[in-house]
Structure formats: C-alpha cells, structure tokens
Amino acid sequence: MNDASAPARAPICQTRIPFDVTPRSLPGIRPLQADDWLMVDEAFGAQMAYRSELLKARRSDVLSLQDSARPAAEELLATTLALLRATPERGYRVSDSTVTRPDGLAITLQPGDPLGTLGQLVQEDLCILEKRGQEHVLTGAVLCFPASWRLDEKFGRPMTVIHAPVPSYDSGISRRVQRLFDGVQLGKPLWRFNRLWYVDAELYQPRSENGPPRPRPGKTGPRFFRCEKQSIFRLPRTQAVIFSIHTFVLSEQDAPPEAFQD
C-alpha cells in the first residue's frame, strides 16, 4: 500500500486491455454503450480483495461522501444493482440482501453505506460530481486505486481546481470538460482513457499535488503500463454525474504495441 513497512505485495496485473490505447488528443472523449462502464476482467478477484483491504485499513483515505450527496450515492448503488441483475452474464447473483460476486464471495448489502458497499462489489472506482453554481464538484467517491492523486486534496473541489496541477489540462480543455459534464445525457455515457508508465504495479498510488513527482521508469529496470478506462454517465433522479475508473496494469512484456507510442 505504498508503505515501506508493509510486506511486498504480488503484482496484480491484467494481461490485455480490451481497447486501443493509441494516444489521443485531450480530452479524448468517445460515446459508450449504456452499460459498458462496468467491466469484469481477469484481475477481478485480486483487485477486489485489495479493495476490501483498503476499505478496512484506510477507509478515510479511500472513501468520502458529503451528506448532501447521499441521495446520489444511494441512487448509484440502486442503479448498479439493477444493472447486475439485468446482466447475469457478468457473473453476479443478486438477492434482496446479498450480492455474490463473480469470484464467489457474498457481499452483504448495506444501504446505509452505499459507497462502501459499491467499493466491495465492482472493480471500478466511482466519483460523484454534482453541479454547484457554475461547476461540477466532487461530492463523493470511493477511490481505492488513485493514479498519483489524493482524494482528501480533491474532495469538495470543482473540476477546474481538481485538474489544476496537470500541465496538459489548460483552461481551454477545462472549459470543454465542464461543458461535457453539463451536457452528458441520460442513457448516453461517454468514455476516455489515460495511460502512464510506472516503476511498479502498485494499484494504490496516492500522491500529494504538493509532493515530489512520481518516479519515472528508466531505460532499464521494471516498467508497468497503467491505463484507466474512465466513463462518464448521468443518474436519472438526482442528475448527478458519475465518473467511473477501471484500472488496468500490465507488465512491460504484456503491454500492447501502441503503449510505447508517445
């Protein structure tokens, strides 16, 4: 968990990414099929075990929810459960009180803890963004696998401030992203991906915006290709926008050819 005192963890990696990761200009948004924000891949069991560990040991670091965002979090849980019921091919079995995951583990539903429950059900990290004035603000999140950012530094802040430390995220792109969040339509989600090289396969990579930059892989030594599928969709009742993140980590030898393109 990025803790020098913790024992070394076996890498949790996928062996493939199910989409083309050729570099695209920002923000790189494309339409997505209505239910394709939720994925199950070969790293499911290992990622979910790590998520449960993080939620138990570091809950305050990986989960935050404003009281005003609770209706959106409850709606997101209900929406996700409805999707799991409607798509048994994903491998979930849903009852009134429990969900049995594709890895066979039964999770007790806790309506009073919607984000904590979701964090143990799906591989995706989930961020709730609600319109406050002229901008969308991060009002809730379960974020177990941050890629060099910290939830406590972004929580309760608008999109333009959240992305301020990213050099390529200039004011023009910021305005385009805000228009995108304003315009995302019900039943018509959008998606993009990012791509980064890391020196290790660690999924929990919090890093302060005021701290040192992440270590960059050298020409020799281990390299891991990290790619996030980021989906954006709107909830019908609360009108909250959900930003979901499905994280892939591949060893250098498993990375697709386009991963090496600048």
Side-chain angles (χ1 to χ4, degrees), residues 144-173:
C144 293
F145 302 152
S148 299
W149 61 289
R150 284 176 35 172
L151 179 57
D152 64 333
E153 292 183 344
K154 310 300 185 182
F155 188 65
R157 302 172 76 182
M159 287 296 296
T160 52
V161 177
I162 286 173
H163 287 94
V166 180
S168 58
Y169 199 91
D170 61 23
S171 59
I173 293 175

Side-chain angles (χ1 to χ4, degrees), residues 81-101:
L81 292 174
L83 174 56
L84 298 181
R85 289 189 183 96
T87 54
E89 64 272 15
R90 285 188 164 93
Y92 289 86
R93 299 194 305 276
V94 183
S95 73
D96 289 341
S97 59
T98 62
V99 173
T100 302
R101 299 187 320 211

